[in-house]
Amino acid sequence: DAKTTQPPSMDCAEGRAANLPCNHSTISGNEYVYWYRQIHSQGPQYIIHGLKNNETNEMASLIITEDRKSSTLILPHATLRDTAVYYCIVKPRNSGYSTLTFGKGTMLLVSP
Amino acid sequence: GAGVSQTPSNKVTEKGKYVELRCDPISGHTALYWYRQSLGQGPEFLIYFQGTGAADDSGLPNDRFFAVRPEGSVSTLKIQRTERGDSAVYLCASSLTGTGTGEITEAFFGQGTRLTVV
């Protein structure tokens, strides 16, 4: 699986947009970009995934660059409850199952 | 329940003892995964079940670790002769699809079992 690079930590003011970057320069054509987050003392939670088009759901938006070498997860109006570790993962489309390779992720701290 | 359930939530055991950790996946999910998470690290894959069979156990660190899923639903992770280095949070996840083609579906995680070996 392609490796990802994320900043270890980021800060965001409550109510502002949180933009979390991820570099995946070795991504191959059949690999999706997945984002999960892990709130303290809980298991990881799926947020969103995409292949090459931008995606949006009720939780976040995912912007993937045209060359697919990087992506940005956007939380449009961050709340205190969005404080968590955010993991960017790339996974082959037809790998058959959802084994996920987690890195250390980005610790997002949302402050009042 | 609606989510993945893991019991116990906390387990303290003495070095050398045997422990079992239980996972109840979401009903109807054929795929089940075990992960281990040490402090400050992301979850690390241990084993994946498709139905009753272990389709990928490449993440199990050694032969002290074993997992079963005899009826294709509940799974038990078993650790023999526990060591202090086994202390971690053990996470279970399940998802709808497993083998075959098609887009990967999201994995739903439980709250984990915090294992402490003293």
Side-chain angles (χ1 to χ4, degrees), chain A residues 42-97:
Chain A
Q42 296 185 20
Q45 174 192 23
Y46 167 83
I47 301 173
I48 198 167
H49 74 279
L51 183 63
K52 54 184 178 181
N53 298 319
N54 298 338
E55 302 288 343
T56 295
N57 63 21
E58 65 278 5
M59 291 183 68
S61 294
L62 174 60
I63 309 297
I64 302 173
T65 57
E66 192 170 344
D67 64 6
R68 303 207 326 120
K69 292 182 184 299
S70 65
S71 60
T72 301
L73 179 75
I74 300 173
L75 308 178
H77 306 287
T79 71
L80 300 180
R81 290 172 298 194
D82 292 322
T83 292
V85 178
Y86 287 77
Y87 296 100
C88 169
I89 300 163
V90 293
K91 218 32 220 162
R93 178 176 184 176
N94 290 330
S95 68
Y97 54 94

Side-chain angles (χ1 to χ4, degrees), chain B residues 53-113:
Chain B
D56 183 352
D57 63 359
S58 61
L60 294 178
N62 51 59
D63 61 6
R64 296 187 298 105
F65 288 75
F66 189 72
V68 295
R69 195 186 184 200
E71 297 179 357
S73 56
V74 171
S75 176
T76 304
L77 178 66
K78 309 180 180 194
I79 310 174
Q80 299 177 321
R81 304 183 304 280
T82 53
E83 300 176 356
R84 293 196 177 87
D86 299 334
S87 297
V89 175
Y90 288 81
L91 294 161
C92 176
S94 68
S95 66
L96 268 175
T97 59
T99 57
T101 58
E103 189 171 321
I104 302 165
T105 62
E106 60 183 286
F108 294 84
F109 284 80
Q111 303 270 57
T113 293

Side-chain angles (χ1 to χ4, degrees), chain A residues 13-32:
Chain A
E14 188 179 20
R16 304 299 293 269
N19 298 286
L20 294 103
C22 179
N23 183 293
H24 33 78
S25 58
T26 60
I27 194 170
S28 59
N30 70 338
E31 289 183 314
Y32 278 78

